[in-house]
Amino acid sequence: MMPGMESTVEKIKVWFRFVPREGWFPQDTEGLWATRLSADTARVQNVPFLQDGVAEGDVVRFQTDSEGLHWAVGWVSASGNCTIRVVPVPSGPLGGSPQAVHQHLSRFGLGGEVFSEGFPMVAFNAPAGGDFHGIKALLTQGQEDGWWHYEVGCATDEWWNA
């Protein structure tokens, strides 16, 4: 590379289309930030709140429509990361606080994002090779103790076998 030339990493939004879940959000699409790798592939850069079966770091294939939107059409490779969503129980000990959820899970070094102030769901990325056994134990304990509800949006055999 010549001096002074910066490598340009193109960030794009890749859209996923899915069937809305009963009693969940009415949306049937979700856009995730991704780094373009080629004309039709990109690496997902954030944790999905709604789309199941995809995790941060996964590489997806997309098609660009006539309006310039990039729609996911398949998977190229999995990152080994897992997606976990946690919603604090408003009447529970954490008082519906996403910060408290983050605090309880902080020892596992999980990256996470909060959906919105109105709906304090936290979507976490559990990195490949993480302490899946410990994370699962804490998630189960917290649910049993009325702190939160959680779901696994995307997981690997490593997660299920931990």
Side-chain angles (χ1 to χ4, degrees), residues 85-162:
R85 302 181 189 109
V86 182
V87 180
V89 176
S91 60
L94 306 185
S97 162
Q99 290 78 13
V101 170
H102 261 288
Q103 242 171 351
H104 279 283
L105 288 158
S106 65
R107 69 174 183 258
F108 297 108
L110 309 180
E113 300 173 47
V114 180
F115 187 74
S116 70
E117 211 160 299
F119 189 68
M121 172 172 62
V122 186
F124 286 103
N125 179 57
D131 178 7
F132 289 169
H133 182 78
I135 295 166
K136 285 166 66 173
L138 180 58
L139 288 171
T140 303
Q141 185 66 52
Q143 185 152 294
E144 286 169 2
D145 291 347
W147 294 357
W148 53 56
H149 297 291
Y150 79 92
E151 68 172 23
V152 177
C154 178
T156 59
D157 287 346
E158 186 191 356
W159 169 270
W160 295 121
N161 297 329

Side-chain angles (χ1 to χ4, degrees), residues 11-145:
K11 287 266 194 232
I12 60 171
K13 197 160 255 201
V14 176
W15 290 89
F16 293 79
R17 196 177 266 122
F18 46 86
V19 177
R21 285 162 39 187
E22 188 102 11
W24 197 236
F25 295 97
Q27 288 98 318
D28 62 356
T29 61
E30 180 174 18
L32 299 176
W33 287 108
T35 303
R36 183 185 281 243
L37 301 175
S38 72
D40 68 345
T41 62
R43 183 180 313 279
V44 174
Q45 295 296 322
N46 61 313
V47 188
F49 287 108
L50 306 173
Q51 173 66 43
D52 284 336
V54 66
E56 186 177 307
D58 289 359
V59 177
V60 296
R61 188 168 308 288
F62 63 85
Q63 286 176 347
T64 306
D65 69 13
S66 58
E67 292 164 21
L69 293 176
H70 309 298
W71 291 96
V73 292
W75 273 256
V76 176
S77 65
S79 60
N81 297 337
C82 300
T83 301
I84 295 106
R85 302 181 189 109
V86 182
V87 180
V89 176
S91 60
L94 306 185
S97 162
Q99 290 78 13
V101 170
H102 261 288
Q103 242 171 351
H104 279 283
L105 288 158
S106 65
R107 69 174 183 258
F108 297 108
L110 309 180
E113 300 173 47
V114 180
F115 187 74
S116 70
E117 211 160 299
F119 189 68
M121 172 172 62
V122 186
F124 286 103
N125 179 57
D131 178 7
F132 289 169
H133 182 78
I135 295 166
K136 285 166 66 173
L138 180 58
L139 288 171
T140 303
Q141 185 66 52
Q143 185 152 294
E144 286 169 2
D145 291 347

Side-chain angles (χ1 to χ4, degrees), residues 1-6:
M1 190 184 294
M2 288 169 47
M5 299 259 318
E6 315 251 326

